[in-house]
Amino acid sequence: PDDVVAPVGTAPRAPRDAGDASGSQPGVVVEPTLTHELSKELQLYFDRVTATVRGGGVGPEAPVLRAALESLQTDNGIHQLVPYFVRFAQEEVATSLKNLPRLTAVIAAVRALVSNPHVHVELYLHQLMPSVVTCLVAKKLGGEPSDLDDHCLLRERAAETMALVCAKFGEQYPTIQPRITRTLVKALLDQTKPLATRYGAVVGLAALGPRVTRLLILPHLRQVLETLEPMLAEGEEESKTDSKTDAAKSEEKARRRRRDARRVHDALKRAVGACLHAALAVPSAEANAASEPERRAARKSKNAASAASGSVGPRSSAPGAGSVAGWKIGKAPGTLRVDVAGAETEIAIGDAVLSDTSEDPKAVAAKVAAAAALLGDCVVPYAAVPEAAGAFI
């Protein structure tokens, strides 16, 4: 309307008439297109950084890429370039799924931008996160045979970047992590998805922490393992029945499936191992750390009393840095025996235990221990005490 005054600092808006060549309806207000002008320095900076990222930091360009990533992570004068970098990441991921070095550099650039405290990348998360998730659960990454091993590293880097985004902006945008986890759980449980996609789903969920693993992976662990076990065991029977001309191809396909299934299985072991560490070792270590001042004061007073009486008692050795209250896990057919700090319980290994959502520490410990028993191996890298190395019997 004619009596509406435009705010100070804005350009007046003029309605178009019905006879306008554009064909707009009478009274329709058309917003002018805003041009975002960048200085020549920013344009040169953007062109140089994007060219370096496209190169993937291969060979002599590796130091240049490191310098560019460090600048993206710390520079406080690039906030105007954030939407351009976001669009660049979208385009490169969409068109370069066969170029692993470039995708790895793009994910590293995204992580650097997210880590920069001087830019407001949270305004563009809805455009940025689909690209990160694509690098996590894409059906195929890389085009060369040598890329079959490197794609796992790219998926792990994407998982770390996704976890950083959720940790940094999860409180401000509480729906971002649930939306991502729904996508990852769906990819994990879909048996039509390739093993590479399911590997990305496992490492993505595990990167979000032990609680996410416990709530979203463990209830489906038996189902996932049932699909992996035939792939881990296949190969010998098929190679015997195939003709000689197809035997080599069949054996190679079976070998790749076994390798990919083993990777998924190992990723599950790492995730469950982190849960086991968080559920059993960390509370015990925290309890020891909390009581250490009292024990130190008791030893000091005892030594002082011994010195005053002139008698020297036996010196008690302080516990080692990695020692905590002992816990052991034993497995029998259909039964799990868990000994946490002297409290021993027997649990029937079944879906009921894995589906338990209780936050009670004993229930959590039993659930995670049952998951570890299902995997059939002891998670030695996360063992808190020497006894855990031979925990599964």
Side-chain angles (χ1 to χ4, degrees), residues 8 44 53 304:
V8 177
L44 290 173
V53 171

Side-chain angles (χ1 to χ4, degrees), residues 16-229:
R16 296 184 180 272
D17 296 331
D20 198 323
S22 63
S24 301
Q25 296 295 327
V28 173
V29 176
V30 178
E31 292 283 356
T33 302
L34 299 178
T35 58
H36 193 186
E37 296 183 359
L38 298 174
S39 64
K40 289 185 177 180
E41 291 80 4
L42 285 178
Q43 292 180 28
L44 290 173
Y45 176 87
F46 177 78
D47 293 339
R48 181 58 175 156
V49 170
T50 53
T52 302
V53 171
R54 283 193 183 99
V58 178
E61 288 294 316
V64 182
L65 178 61
R66 286 196 297 268
L69 295 177
E70 183 178 357
S71 176
L72 289 175
Q73 187 172 353
T74 59
D75 202 325
N76 60 358
I78 60 173
H79 54 88
Q80 285 183 299
L81 292 175
V82 173
Y84 298 94
F85 279 122
V86 170
R87 183 175 180 181
F88 167 76
Q90 288 179 297
E91 293 175 350
E92 292 303 319
V93 171
T95 59
S96 305
L97 289 179
K98 294 184 177 181
N99 192 330
L100 276 186
R102 181 177 298 178
L103 289 178
T104 303
V106 168
I107 290 297
V110 170
R111 183 183 178 88
L113 279 176
V114 172
S115 303
N116 193 328
H118 306 291
V119 300
H120 298 286
V121 73
E122 66 270 18
L123 302 176
Y124 306 95
L125 291 180
H126 63 289
Q127 301 173 359
L128 198 58
M129 290 311 296
S131 301
V132 177
V133 176
T134 296
C135 291
L136 187 60
V137 296
K139 179 179 179 180
K140 185 178 181 181
L141 297 172
E144 300 295 331
S146 59
D147 294 338
L148 295 175
D149 294 329
D150 297 336
H151 78 89
C152 292
L153 180 60
L154 172 60
R155 295 178 196 275
E156 291 165 8
R157 296 281 175 81
E160 294 170 359
T161 303
M162 176 208 63
L164 175 63
V165 170
C166 292
K168 189 172 182 179
F169 304 112
E171 293 185 3
Q172 188 176 359
Y173 300 95
T175 62
I176 185 170
Q177 181 168 318
R179 292 170 63 184
I180 292 174
T181 54
R182 279 197 297 269
T183 301
L184 296 181
V185 171
K186 183 178 179 181
L188 175 63
L189 300 181
D190 189 349
Q191 298 185 19
T192 63
K193 298 291 184 182
L195 289 170
T197 295
R198 304 176 78 180
Y199 175 85
V202 172
V203 297
L205 291 170
L208 294 173
R211 189 171 187 273
V212 172
T213 299
R214 178 162 49 84
L215 295 178
L216 298 182
I217 293 182
L218 299 196
H220 309 292
L221 183 60
R222 187 182 294 275
Q223 175 184 350
V224 174
L225 291 177
E226 287 176 354
T227 62
L228 291 179
E229 287 172 357

